[in-house]
Amino acid sequence: MNATLVEAVNDALRVAMADDDHVVVYGEDVAQQGGVFRATEGLKDEYGGERVLDTPITEIAIAGSAVGLAMRGYRPVAEIQFSGFIPPAFNQLVSMASRIRWRTRGELTAPMVIRAPYGGGVRALEHHSESLEAAYAHIPGLQVVVPSTPADTKGLLLSAIRDPDPVLVLEPKRLYRSFRDEVPEGEHTVPIGEAAVRTEGEDITVISWGATMPDTLAAAETLEEERDVSIEVIDLRSISPLDRETVLESVRKTGRAAIVHEAAKTGGFAAELVATINEGALMHLEAPVGRITGFDVPMPMLAMEDFYLPNPPRIEEGIKDVLDGEGGV
């Protein structure tokens, strides 16, 4: 079917709920209204009020109840209305959900999904547009995925729901309705921890994920037309676990790398990728690894986010800096 990213979320939930009676969906306004972005629209009518529920506005209770349900045999899929409101639930993720397998010596696990519209790009108010994926990836036992296409969104969400351990699914809301693409009907999964090579190239590796992927691909296409270079673009899809082998194999081939994300630069996930490249491909590098990111300020509100988010011209300049480094291409 031809679907938007948010329609792919809805389709994945329908497939999962039809397949397993233990899958329950809940969160603020997800039942009666179908969610702020209508990601859960129609699910209550189809599966009933005992499996699709509205909750009070309390993120810590939403995450905490998911831990309990998961340990009792359910497959909870809880929505946090915006990723900027995950921090109130952080204690449940770091102190409870991520530790159940270790705490019980493998006797119990927490097969639960927390999904949230994530990142900037819709000119929302404060606390609606943060990109804190690096903080969540720092929690051992918590998996973090960030899709950039409708097909990957369905595939990763279905994989997350069926995973025996907790998964945080960050859905780039800027892409919710920005384009349509083919999504496989019915059963479709994408392995967690497996990156996708969107375009193959020989001169530089550019790594991104989520909402910055379309802009990264556009910037790469423009540069390939302007200069006699070929650019390999990797879509991580999973932040944790990280597909280190795909990243390192590409950088060993191209000898140059740039990383694009919309989160603030300091402590952003690009820093982890730079360390990974240094550990596994340092002797192959012909220039320092570049970072094209948001700025070290709180995510600005409304139209000011246009100045904060990496856009194709800024991504092009960042890639050029790496290409023109030591012995430039």
PDB file of all heavy atoms in Angstrom, residues 38 118 121 165 190 198 246 257 260 300 322 328:
ATOM      1  N   ARG A  38      -3.278  11.323  15.193  1.00  0.00           N
ATOM      2  CA  ARG A  38      -4.183  10.306  14.645  1.00  0.00           C
ATOM      3  C   ARG A  38      -3.450   8.997  14.317  1.00  0.00           C
ATOM      4  O   ARG A  38      -3.891   8.240  13.458  1.00  0.00           O
ATOM      5  CB  ARG A  38      -4.922  10.826  13.403  1.00  0.00           C
ATOM      6  CG  ARG A  38      -5.718  12.103  13.672  1.00  0.00           C
ATOM      7  CD  ARG A  38      -6.833  11.857  14.697  1.00  0.00           C
ATOM      8  NE  ARG A  38      -7.647  13.038  14.936  1.00  0.00           N
ATOM      9  CZ  ARG A  38      -7.475  13.861  15.995  1.00  0.00           C
ATOM     10  NH1 ARG A  38      -6.522  13.613  16.882  1.00  0.00           N
ATOM     11  NH2 ARG A  38      -8.246  14.906  16.167  1.00  0.00           N
ATOM     12  N   TYR A 118       8.594  12.652  17.653  1.00  0.00           N
ATOM     13  CA  TYR A 118       9.920  13.098  18.109  1.00  0.00           C
ATOM     14  C   TYR A 118      10.507  14.155  17.177  1.00  0.00           C
ATOM     15  O   TYR A 118      10.232  14.173  15.976  1.00  0.00           O
ATOM     16  CB  TYR A 118      10.800  11.849  18.201  1.00  0.00           C
ATOM     17  CG  TYR A 118      12.226  11.945  17.739  1.00  0.00           C
ATOM     18  CD1 TYR A 118      13.258  12.225  18.639  1.00  0.00           C
ATOM     19  CD2 TYR A 118      12.566  11.711  16.404  1.00  0.00           C
ATOM     20  CE1 TYR A 118      14.574  12.259  18.218  1.00  0.00           C
ATOM     21  CE2 TYR A 118      13.886  11.743  15.984  1.00  0.00           C
ATOM     22  CZ  TYR A 118      14.882  12.036  16.902  1.00  0.00           C
ATOM     23  OH  TYR A 118      16.185  12.072  16.494  1.00  0.00           O
ATOM     24  N   GLY A 121      10.357  20.584  13.640  1.00  0.00           N
ATOM     25  CA  GLY A 121       9.901  20.679  12.264  1.00  0.00           C
ATOM     26  C   GLY A 121       8.439  20.989  12.082  1.00  0.00           C
ATOM     27  O   GLY A 121       7.998  21.196  10.948  1.00  0.00           O
ATOM     28  N   ASP A 165      12.464  -7.462  24.978  1.00  0.00           N
ATOM     29  CA  ASP A 165      12.980  -6.413  25.864  1.00  0.00           C
ATOM     30  C   ASP A 165      12.426  -5.044  25.448  1.00  0.00           C
ATOM     31  O   ASP A 165      11.914  -4.888  24.337  1.00  0.00           O
ATOM     32  CB  ASP A 165      14.513  -6.424  25.827  1.00  0.00           C
ATOM     33  CG  ASP A 165      15.081  -7.687  26.458  1.00  0.00           C
ATOM     34  OD1 ASP A 165      14.851  -7.902  27.660  1.00  0.00           O
ATOM     35  OD2 ASP A 165      15.707  -8.481  25.732  1.00  0.00           O
ATOM     36  N   VAL A 190      11.381  -5.219  10.295  1.00  0.00           N
ATOM     37  CA  VAL A 190      12.751  -4.765  10.004  1.00  0.00           C
ATOM     38  C   VAL A 190      13.583  -5.081  11.241  1.00  0.00           C
ATOM     39  O   VAL A 190      13.205  -4.682  12.354  1.00  0.00           O
ATOM     40  CB  VAL A 190      12.789  -3.255   9.704  1.00  0.00           C
ATOM     41  CG1 VAL A 190      14.228  -2.751   9.629  1.00  0.00           C
ATOM     42  CG2 VAL A 190      12.045  -2.954   8.405  1.00  0.00           C
ATOM     43  N   ARG A 198      21.415   3.860   2.022  1.00  0.00           N
ATOM     44  CA  ARG A 198      20.431   4.463   1.110  1.00  0.00           C
ATOM     45  C   ARG A 198      21.016   4.734  -0.270  1.00  0.00           C
ATOM     46  O   ARG A 198      20.328   4.598  -1.275  1.00  0.00           O
ATOM     47  CB  ARG A 198      19.884   5.763   1.712  1.00  0.00           C
ATOM     48  CG  ARG A 198      19.125   5.578   3.021  1.00  0.00           C
ATOM     49  CD  ARG A 198      17.912   4.693   2.847  1.00  0.00           C
ATOM     50  NE  ARG A 198      17.141   4.579   4.077  1.00  0.00           N
ATOM     51  CZ  ARG A 198      16.257   3.619   4.320  1.00  0.00           C
ATOM     52  NH1 ARG A 198      16.019   2.691   3.402  1.00  0.00           N
ATOM     53  NH2 ARG A 198      15.602   3.573   5.460  1.00  0.00           N
ATOM     54  N   THR A 246      28.308  -1.935   9.611  1.00  0.00           N
ATOM     55  CA  THR A 246      27.949  -1.220   8.380  1.00  0.00           C
ATOM     56  C   THR A 246      28.636   0.144   8.333  1.00  0.00           C
ATOM     57  O   THR A 246      29.141   0.566   7.281  1.00  0.00           O
ATOM     58  CB  THR A 246      26.413  -1.059   8.295  1.00  0.00           C
ATOM     59  OG1 THR A 246      25.825  -2.359   8.166  1.00  0.00           O
ATOM     60  CG2 THR A 246      26.011  -0.211   7.111  1.00  0.00           C
ATOM     61  N   ALA A 257      34.057  10.801   6.566  1.00  0.00           N
ATOM     62  CA  ALA A 257      32.726  10.635   7.140  1.00  0.00           C
ATOM     63  C   ALA A 257      32.194  11.951   7.673  1.00  0.00           C
ATOM     64  O   ALA A 257      32.953  12.785   8.186  1.00  0.00           O
ATOM     65  CB  ALA A 257      32.750   9.592   8.269  1.00  0.00           C
ATOM     66  N   VAL A 260      25.036  13.657  10.455  1.00  0.00           N
ATOM     67  CA  VAL A 260      23.990  14.688  10.481  1.00  0.00           C
ATOM     68  C   VAL A 260      22.921  14.300  11.486  1.00  0.00           C
ATOM     69  O   VAL A 260      22.364  13.200  11.419  1.00  0.00           O
ATOM     70  CB  VAL A 260      23.329  14.844   9.092  1.00  0.00           C
ATOM     71  CG1 VAL A 260      22.350  16.008   9.109  1.00  0.00           C
ATOM     72  CG2 VAL A 260      24.373  15.014   8.004  1.00  0.00           C
ATOM     73  N   PRO A 300      14.528  25.805  19.955  1.00  0.00           N
ATOM     74  CA  PRO A 300      13.728  27.041  19.892  1.00  0.00           C
ATOM     75  C   PRO A 300      12.291  26.757  19.467  1.00  0.00           C
ATOM     76  O   PRO A 300      11.995  25.745  18.840  1.00  0.00           O
ATOM     77  CB  PRO A 300      14.463  27.877  18.848  1.00  0.00           C
ATOM     78  CG  PRO A 300      15.178  26.894  18.007  1.00  0.00           C
ATOM     79  CD  PRO A 300      15.540  25.744  18.899  1.00  0.00           C
ATOM     80  N   VAL A 322      34.439  18.350   4.861  1.00  0.00           N
ATOM     81  CA  VAL A 322      35.143  17.076   5.016  1.00  0.00           C
ATOM     82  C   VAL A 322      35.807  16.674   3.692  1.00  0.00           C
ATOM     83  O   VAL A 322      36.954  16.214   3.674  1.00  0.00           O
ATOM     84  CB  VAL A 322      34.175  15.973   5.491  1.00  0.00           C
ATOM     85  CG1 VAL A 322      34.916  14.643   5.640  1.00  0.00           C
ATOM     86  CG2 VAL A 322      33.527  16.370   6.812  1.00  0.00           C
ATOM     87  N   GLY A 328      42.065  16.878  -0.049  1.00  0.00           N
ATOM     88  CA  GLY A 328      40.655  16.890  -0.431  1.00  0.00           C
ATOM     89  C   GLY A 328      40.331  16.256  -1.770  1.00  0.00           C
ATOM     90  O   GLY A 328      41.178  16.142  -2.653  1.00  0.00           O
TER      91      GLY A 328
END
